[in-house]
């Protein structure tokens, strides 16, 4: 007992130090901004913050806007948003040194002088990548991740790291170290996750460009919940996060991607990243530069669409978002073709859950060993600890009453090597079938629903099954982007009263409650393309955004 008490108090001490570091970061930001304002009282911060990224880059390149004016405008705004939403975990003080060097060298990359925010789990030299785990505190990264290295070479200035949920396997944004991050549009709502700190900071206007990771919707949830845009590329189009930081099996593909206020900013970012530096630093990234011709094409598109995946019933606002976007696209001369989704429940249980917990959750459990709090992943941890016979029994008892719970329990059993090989083969087969259906309809891109509006704080943890719309495209490894298209209306709220769900189980009832009281919150759609066609995906997103 004494040893246990000693270990726990040691962990709490680490948490306290980390929180003090976070507070010091905010104080450093405040002092830096105050110093700058005293020296340059006439700088119009508001006009700088209102510039879209392409215009801002142009002004920085031609010298009509000094990089320090832009940098301190965003540090000031980021500080305000961090105070309101608790989205920043650390201020990268070396960014001020980089700013001074950038002014001296005068070497202009595509993102010269642009302040960018970085998700906690992406390595920045000399800073922790905690993933919300106490055991990862005081273990600074030895070097920048490839994405951060390329950003620096393109002239961008990473200036803050942002909050994540513990383990990243959640679409909320809370951990024991830094606490809960709030949605900047409505503080009682979740900002989404796992790139929730990024979503809150960019959604609130405290960053013009940010980077997150996505293994089940972790870029797309925060973008949709906070009313901004994001792109999840094909897994290896940009350097994916190192697998020691993430602990899932290959069936569900992780990706690194950008988040910004508009699509043009995402395109500019991809243009900057898909360069010789990226291809030289990482030979696993295919040397495919940004295809300008595809992105700027005005050819009419042939677009597949669906309103539901028949697993998670869409909220009235989600359904309306797809219908209205479909109508606008048709009016603009594009061809829209209904796409029939098959077996999404099988994909979620058998490929995603079983793929991520192929060893029965043993490696997942190992990550939580010795942590102080695990409540956000309570169900999965409990199942991971349960013996095989108990899972089998539970699955059998629950099947007639809660079929989804029964399937999850069954999917979390330990697989043999042979079964894992078969699983990989099955996923390959599914990808071939899905692509064949896509080609048969001769589609260019796909329009899909995106879970929304933002759920109340605490709800994502109870609704892990609602990731079906996003996780499908991690299993398929297709590029997918999110664009906000509408807001929840009073009519949507009225219609929500008759929301039942497809399974009418506890999860469906909880999701109906989570959607309630959302009038005025943004709702997005997902835009999807075939693997390696990020430019076409962005072109489609731009079309949707413009319309």
């Amino acid at each position: 007992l004494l040893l246990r008490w000693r270990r726990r108090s040691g962990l709490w001490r680490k948490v306290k130090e980390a929180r003090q570091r976070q507070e010091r970061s905010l104080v450093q930001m405040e002092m830096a901004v105050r110093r700058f304002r005293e020296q340059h009282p006439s700088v119009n911060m508001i006009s700088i913050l209102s510039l879209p990224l392409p215009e801002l880059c142009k002004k920085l390149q031609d010298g009509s806007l000094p990089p320090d004016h832009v940098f301190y405008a965003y540090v000031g705004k980021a500080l305000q948003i961090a105070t309101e939403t608790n989205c920043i975990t650390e201020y990268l003080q070396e960014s001020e040194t980089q700013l001074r060097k950038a002014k001296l060298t005068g070497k202009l990359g595509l993102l010269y002088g642009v302040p960018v925010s970085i998700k906690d789990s992406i390595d920045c030299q000399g800073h922790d990548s905690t993933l919300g785990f106490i055991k990862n505190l005081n273990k600074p990264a030895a070097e920048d991740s490839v994405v951060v290295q390329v950003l620096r070479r393109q002239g961008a200035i990473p200036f803050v790291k942002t909050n994540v949920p513990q383990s990243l396997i959640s679409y909320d944004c809370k951990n024991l170290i830094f606490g809960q991050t709030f949605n900047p549009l409505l503080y009682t709502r979740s900002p989404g996750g796992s790139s929730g700190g990024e979503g809150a900071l960019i959604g609130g206007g405290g960053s013009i460009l940010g980077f997150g990771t996505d293994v089940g919707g972790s870029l797309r949830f925060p973008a949709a919940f906070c009313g901004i845009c994001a792109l999840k590329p094909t897994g290896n189009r940009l350097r994916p996060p190192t697998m020691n930081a993430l602990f899932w099996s290959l069936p569900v593909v992780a990706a690194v991607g950008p988040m910004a206020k508009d699509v043009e900013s995402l395109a500019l970012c991809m243009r900057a990243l898909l360069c010789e530096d990226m291809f030289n630093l990482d030979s696993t990234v295919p040397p495919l530069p940004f295809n300008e011709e595809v992105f700027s094409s005005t050819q009419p598109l042939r677009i597949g669409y669906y309103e539901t995946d028949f697993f998670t019933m869409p909220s009235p606002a989600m359904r309306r978002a797809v219908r209205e976007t479909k109508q606008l696209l048709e009016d603009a001369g594009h061809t829209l073709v209904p796409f029939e989704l098959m077996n999404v429940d099988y994909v979620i249980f058998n490929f995603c859950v079983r793929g991520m917990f192929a060893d029965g959750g043993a490696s997942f459990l190992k990550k939580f060993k010795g942590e102080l709090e695990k409540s956000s992943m309570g169900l999965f941890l409990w199942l991971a600890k349960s013996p095989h016979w108990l899972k089998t029994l539970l699955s059998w008892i629950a099947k007639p009453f809660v079929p989804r719970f029964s399937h999850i329990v069954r999917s979390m059993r330990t697989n043999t090597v042979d079964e894992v090989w078969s699983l990989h083969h099955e996923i390959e087969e599914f990808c071939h079938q899905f692509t064949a259906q896509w080609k048969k309809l001769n589609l260019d891109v796909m329009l899909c629903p995106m879970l929304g509006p933002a759920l109340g704080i605490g709800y994502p943890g109870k609704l892990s099954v609602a990731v079906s719309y996003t996780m499908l495209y991690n299993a398929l490894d297709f590029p997918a982007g999110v664009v906000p298209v509408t807001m929840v209306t009073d009519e949507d709220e009225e219609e929500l009263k008759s929301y039942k769900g497809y399974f009418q189980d506890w999860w469906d009832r909880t999701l109906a409650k989570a959607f309630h009281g959302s009038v005025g919150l943004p709702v997005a759609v997902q835009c999807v393309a075939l693997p390696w066609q990020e430019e076409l995906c962005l072109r489609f997103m731009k079309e949707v955004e413009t319309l």
Side-chain angles (χ1 to χ4, degrees):
L1 278 172
L2 187 65
L3 284 170
R4 201 167 156 194
W5 172 81
R6 204 173 137 201
R7 197 185 59 75
R8 283 179 73 86
S9 56
L11 289 174
W12 278 116
R13 197 162 47 248
K14 281 173 90 172
V15 169
K16 195 178 168 190
E17 284 164 11
R19 286 180 187 166
Q20 285 168 346
R21 245 193 333 268
Q22 183 192 26
E23 281 165 27
R24 277 200 302 276
S25 278
L26 299 183
V27 170
Q28 286 164 354
M29 288 168 81
E30 192 178 359
M31 282 162 64
V33 174
R34 194 183 302 147
R35 255 195 326 268
F36 177 77
R37 282 194 175 136
E38 282 166 4
Q39 290 162 6
H40 305 84
S42 60
V43 173
N44 186 343
M45 302 279 196
I46 294 164
S47 70
I48 293 171
L49 294 169
S50 67
L51 291 172
L53 183 62
E55 205 178 318
L56 182 78
C57 286
K58 199 161 160 284
K59 285 183 182 290
L60 283 161
Q61 306 258 351
D62 66 21
S64 60
L65 202 53
D68 52 347
H69 290 198
V70 175
F71 180 80
Y72 289 108
Y74 273 100
V75 172
K77 184 66 178 173
L79 175 66
Q80 181 206 324
I81 301 302
T83 311
E84 292 169 7
T85 65
N86 185 33
C87 56
I88 291 173
T89 58
E90 201 170 358
Y91 174 51
L92 312 182
Q93 233 187 331
E94 68 272 17
S95 55
E96 294 180 35
T97 314
Q98 195 192 335
L99 178 70
R100 284 193 291 275
K101 280 185 187 164
K103 284 167 73 180
L104 293 170
T105 56
K107 188 174 158 245
L108 308 183
L110 270 182
L111 295 172
Y112 170 71
V114 175
V116 297
S117 48
I118 307 287
K119 182 180 181 175
D120 164 280
S121 58
I122 299 172
D123 283 352
C124 290
Q125 188 179 4
H127 299 275
D128 294 339
S129 297
T130 68
L131 283 77
F133 286 120
I134 300 167
K135 61 162 73 93
N136 293 338
L137 284 169
N138 309 327
K139 290 181 184 171
E143 60 173 1
D144 286 334
S145 63
V146 172
V147 167
V148 175
Q149 287 181 54
V150 178
L151 282 170
R152 290 195 201 276
R153 290 185 190 195
Q154 284 286 12
I157 304 171
F159 76 116
V160 288
K161 289 197 87 175
T162 55
N163 204 19
V164 293
Q166 187 186 36
S167 82
L168 308 190
I169 304 189
S170 166
Y171 61 105
D172 202 347
C173 192
K174 181 190 178 185
N175 60 67
L176 193 68
I177 307 165
F178 302 110
Q180 173 76 51
T181 298
F182 305 96
N183 191 314
L185 307 176
L186 188 62
Y187 300 152
T188 56
R189 299 283 158 145
S190 166
S194 62
S195 313
E198 284 300 316
L201 186 61
I202 298 163
S207 172
I208 197 165
L209 180 64
F211 288 85
T213 57
D214 189 308
V215 81
S218 295
L219 280 161
R220 291 162 285 164
F221 281 114
F225 284 13
C226 298
I228 58 171
C229 300
L231 173 71
K232 177 204 84 72
T234 313
N236 248 39
R237 187 77 197 260
L238 299 176
R239 172 62 174 156
T242 49
M243 291 311 279
N244 66 353
L246 306 163
F247 39 92
W248 18 77
S249 166
L250 290 173
V252 185
V253 184
V256 167
M259 301 169 79
K261 283 268 189 184
D262 54 69
V263 179
E264 202 61 65
S265 303
L266 300 178
L268 174 59
C269 170
M270 292 300 281
R271 219 173 268 136
L273 288 176
L274 298 173
C275 63
E276 282 308 311
D277 284 327
M278 174 70 81
F279 310 140
N280 292 336
L281 283 166
D282 188 351
S283 51
T284 66
V285 172
L288 297 170
F290 190 82
N291 190 328
E292 212 57 65
E293 198 184 326
V294 172
F295 178 64
S296 52
S297 162
T298 53
Q299 287 285 101
L301 294 167
R302 196 170 159 84
I303 304 161
Y305 75 95
Y306 56 89
E307 288 180 15
T308 176
D309 63 3
F310 297 103
F311 181 79
T312 305
M313 185 181 273
S315 65
M318 283 165 72
R319 215 182 268 273
R320 183 173 57 78
V322 173
R323 279 182 191 161
E324 286 179 3
T325 308
K326 171 200 173 267
Q327 193 55 54
L328 288 167
L329 287 162
E330 276 181 332
D331 295 345
H334 301 285
T335 308
L336 276 102
V337 184
F339 188 93
E340 202 178 325
L341 265 193
M342 313 282 246
N343 304 337
V344 170
D345 53 347
Y346 189 79
V347 172
I348 296 302
F349 299 131
N350 227 41
F351 299 167
C352 301
V353 179
R354 192 172 148 214
M356 284 165 71
F357 300 99
D359 58 357
S363 52
F364 178 67
L365 261 182
K366 210 184 287 176
K367 285 282 169 189
F368 284 86
K369 198 173 178 215
E371 289 294 311
L372 284 171
E373 193 217 29
K374 306 148 188 177
S375 60
S376 61
M377 299 303 297
L379 172 67
F380 287 112
L381 284 161
W382 183 79
L383 285 172
K385 283 178 192 166
S386 304
H388 181 69
W389 66 265
L390 183 59
K391 288 179 196 170
T392 310
L393 182 68
L394 259 177
S395 172
W396 183 73
I397 293 168
K399 198 171 183 182
F401 314 105
V402 211
R404 283 201 282 189
F405 178 68
S406 169
H407 284 303
I408 285 175
V409 175
R410 202 166 64 233
S411 304
M412 283 192 69
R413 63 186 175 78
T414 308
N415 291 264
T416 63
V417 175
D418 194 40
E419 284 171 329
V420 173
W421 280 122
S422 319
L423 176 64
H424 280 262
H425 177 66
E426 253 188 275
I427 291 170
E428 252 176 65
E429 275 300 299
F430 173 72
C431 292
H432 287 315
Q433 284 168 15
F434 195 95
T435 310
Q437 190 183 347
W438 183 298
K439 296 260 171 83
K440 191 181 172 188
L441 294 170
N442 196 20
L443 302 179
D444 296 309
V445 286
M446 184 100 80
L447 173 69
C448 327
M450 176 66 215
L451 190 80
L455 308 184
I457 280 168
Y459 275 108
K462 301 171 190 171
L463 291 162
S464 48
V465 292
V467 298
S468 57
Y469 288 103
T470 50
M471 207 163 204
L472 172 67
Y473 295 108
N474 291 89
L476 287 163
D477 195 18
F478 283 19
V482 154
V483 184
V485 292
T486 186
M487 286 175 180
V488 180
T489 62
D490 290 316
E491 290 76 31
D492 295 329
E493 198 66 26
E494 191 56 40
E495 260 185 76
L496 194 58
K497 288 175 183 170
S498 57
Y499 183 96
K500 291 276 188 291
Y502 293 119
F503 295 84
Q504 297 184 20
D505 55 12
W506 179 83
W507 277 309
D508 279 338
R509 288 192 293 278
T510 308
L511 188 56
K513 278 184 210 158
F515 283 142
H516 267 296
S518 306
V519 175
L521 287 178
V523 180
V525 291
Q526 259 189 119
C527 302
V528 179
L530 290 173
W532 312 108
Q533 295 189 1
E534 282 70 18
E535 296 87 345
L536 185 58
C537 185
L538 286 163
R539 192 234 138 154
F540 178 37
M541 288 168 73
K542 179 81 187 140
E543 195 79 20
V544 168
E545 179 187 61
T546 308
L547 292 171

